[in-house]
Amino acid sequence: MVRRTFGARPPSLVPGRVLLAVVLVVFLAGCGTESARELPADPGEASAPMAEIARADAEAAFGGLGDLAAAWKDGDCAEIERLTTWAEKAIGSRVCAAAREGRAAPGFGVPRNPEFLLPAHEDGEDDPWFAVLARKPTPAYFVFVRTDGAWRLGAGPIPLAGDAPEAEGEVVDAAAGPGSWVGARLVSTRHVAFLTDPAGLSGVRFASGDPMGGLLGELVRAPGRVRPDRLSTDVRIEGPARALALPDGGALVFHALRLVFTQKPGPGRSSLAHRRYGAADVRAFTGGALKTVTGAEIVLLATRVGADNRMTTVGMRRVLAGITEGAD
């Protein structure tokens, strides 16, 4: 896991192995009844067999979002945990419990008008997955992952922040465009570098107006807004990235970051002067007022990586996923 920090402490790179399992992908529009069908490798190839995701199963998984919406409405935390994985499980596991303590539960409307993006999956690399672009009621991506024999929502909704890149048409293997493929593998790490490098020394850039620029500006200003309290911020990678090859040689990457804010009283103080999180949220997540507060916010992203490796944010959602006492 990559973890970068700035704020009250200098930037640091926490040792550890980053696991970004990005699979070779193509758009498949075939139908079928099996959840995964092995496709043998071409003669002379040493790569693992591919598993084709059946469209019928993808449609059934998408249709099951109505059950998840009902679970959020009823405050059924066990059902939410059963129906989710990856980023959505990390969010739901704490947010649902906080909603029972008076915090407003996030609204989860049932999406409609889906466009299915079904990647090929290299057996043994990662759990099978697919994405859906739902056009209504608000255009947003949903990412499903098959774990423990069932399809679960891994990330979504991720509302569009711009135009959705074209992912249909010509079938393109991501490995055919080595430049964009390398960019897809490194997209989460490059986001961490950007968000922890206000001076821009990393060389990672986003175009003017990209939501990532606004997020960086917020992180830079955050410590000053709570003075004399001390605030530090860690930026971490939340699980593996998953990438779709695009017909133009680029890639569409679904990934998530975890922002961890730790706020402590300033020198000579026994309590916080300017709380980052409201008292009601702190009580809902922890049960009381705290001297030192750590909040975790998860940012879900859909990033287009061009054939020239330039990154553009096409979808983004940010959620307060938990508050705990003390430093993380």
Side-chain angles (χ1 to χ4, degrees):
M1 174 179 66
V2 165
R3 169 176 169 175
R4 294 290 294 275
T5 307
F6 67 88
R9 293 172 288 171
S12 61
L13 180 62
V14 171
R17 183 176 180 181
V18 179
L19 176 60
L20 291 176
V22 185
V23 295
L24 303 180
V25 292
V26 294
F27 180 85
L28 301 175
C31 300
T33 57
E34 300 173 350
S35 60
R37 177 171 61 86
E38 282 196 354
L39 302 179
D42 290 336
E45 289 185 354
S47 61
M50 307 297 282
E52 180 183 332
I53 298 171
R55 185 183 177 91
D57 290 315
E59 291 174 344
F62 179 78
L65 289 180
D67 295 335
L68 183 56
W72 274 112
K73 183 178 179 180
D74 297 339
D76 190 340
C77 299
E79 184 70 355
I80 292 170
E81 185 169 354
R82 185 184 72 84
L83 294 172
T84 57
T85 187
W86 184 24
E88 293 304 326
K89 189 170 186 176
I91 293 169
S93 61
R94 296 293 309 282
V95 172
C96 180
R100 289 180 169 180
E101 300 300 324
R103 189 172 190 270
F108 191 96
V110 180
R112 307 186 305 278
N113 289 35
E115 298 175 12
F116 291 91
L117 307 173
L118 309 180
H121 167 69
E122 187 166 350
D123 194 21
E125 288 295 316
D126 196 11
D127 293 324
W129 68 280
F130 67 91
V132 176
L133 175 57
R135 293 291 183 178
K136 294 185 177 180
T138 302
Y141 286 108
F142 295 80
V143 180
F144 293 82
V145 182
R146 186 171 178 83
T147 59
D148 298 326
W151 287 104
R152 309 173 198 275
L153 180 65
I158 307 175
L160 285 184
D163 295 331
E166 180 61 54
E168 299 183 76
E170 180 186 358
V171 176
V172 177
D173 193 313
S180 62
W181 185 234
V182 171
R185 291 184 59 194
L186 298 177
V187 65
S188 296
T189 304
R190 294 173 68 195
H191 274 72
V192 172
F194 176 79
L195 292 175
T196 55
D197 177 31
L201 300 179
S202 69
V204 180
R205 299 286 187 273
F206 287 88
S208 176
D210 191 284
M212 294 306 296
L215 179 55
L216 173 60
E218 179 190 334
L219 297 183
V220 170
R221 294 188 296 269
R225 289 178 171 174
V226 300
R227 290 192 181 107
D229 299 334
R230 294 172 295 175
L231 182 72
S232 63
T233 305
D234 290 350
V235 183
R236 308 172 185 175
I237 295 173
E238 184 75 12
R242 295 174 167 91
L244 285 167
L246 298 176
D248 62 3
L252 176 61
V253 184
F254 302 102
H255 57 118
L257 301 174
R258 179 180 289 257
L259 310 179
V260 181
F261 299 91
T262 299
Q263 185 178 2
K264 302 178 181 180
R269 298 186 57 87
S270 60
S271 62
L272 297 175
H274 303 288
R275 296 181 180 275
R276 177 176 176 83
Y277 301 106
D281 282 342
V282 173
R283 283 195 301 270
F285 279 108
T286 68
L290 306 178
K291 179 178 178 179
T292 298
V293 175
T294 294
E297 302 178 20
I298 292 181
V299 182
L300 299 99
L301 293 158
T303 301
R304 185 189 182 281
V305 183
D308 57 1
N309 279 331
R310 292 186 180 182
M311 297 187 298
T312 303
T313 303
V314 296
M316 182 175 181
R317 170 170 150 239
R318 183 173 170 184
V319 185
L320 175 60
I323 298 174
T324 57
E325 182 175 8
D328 181 67

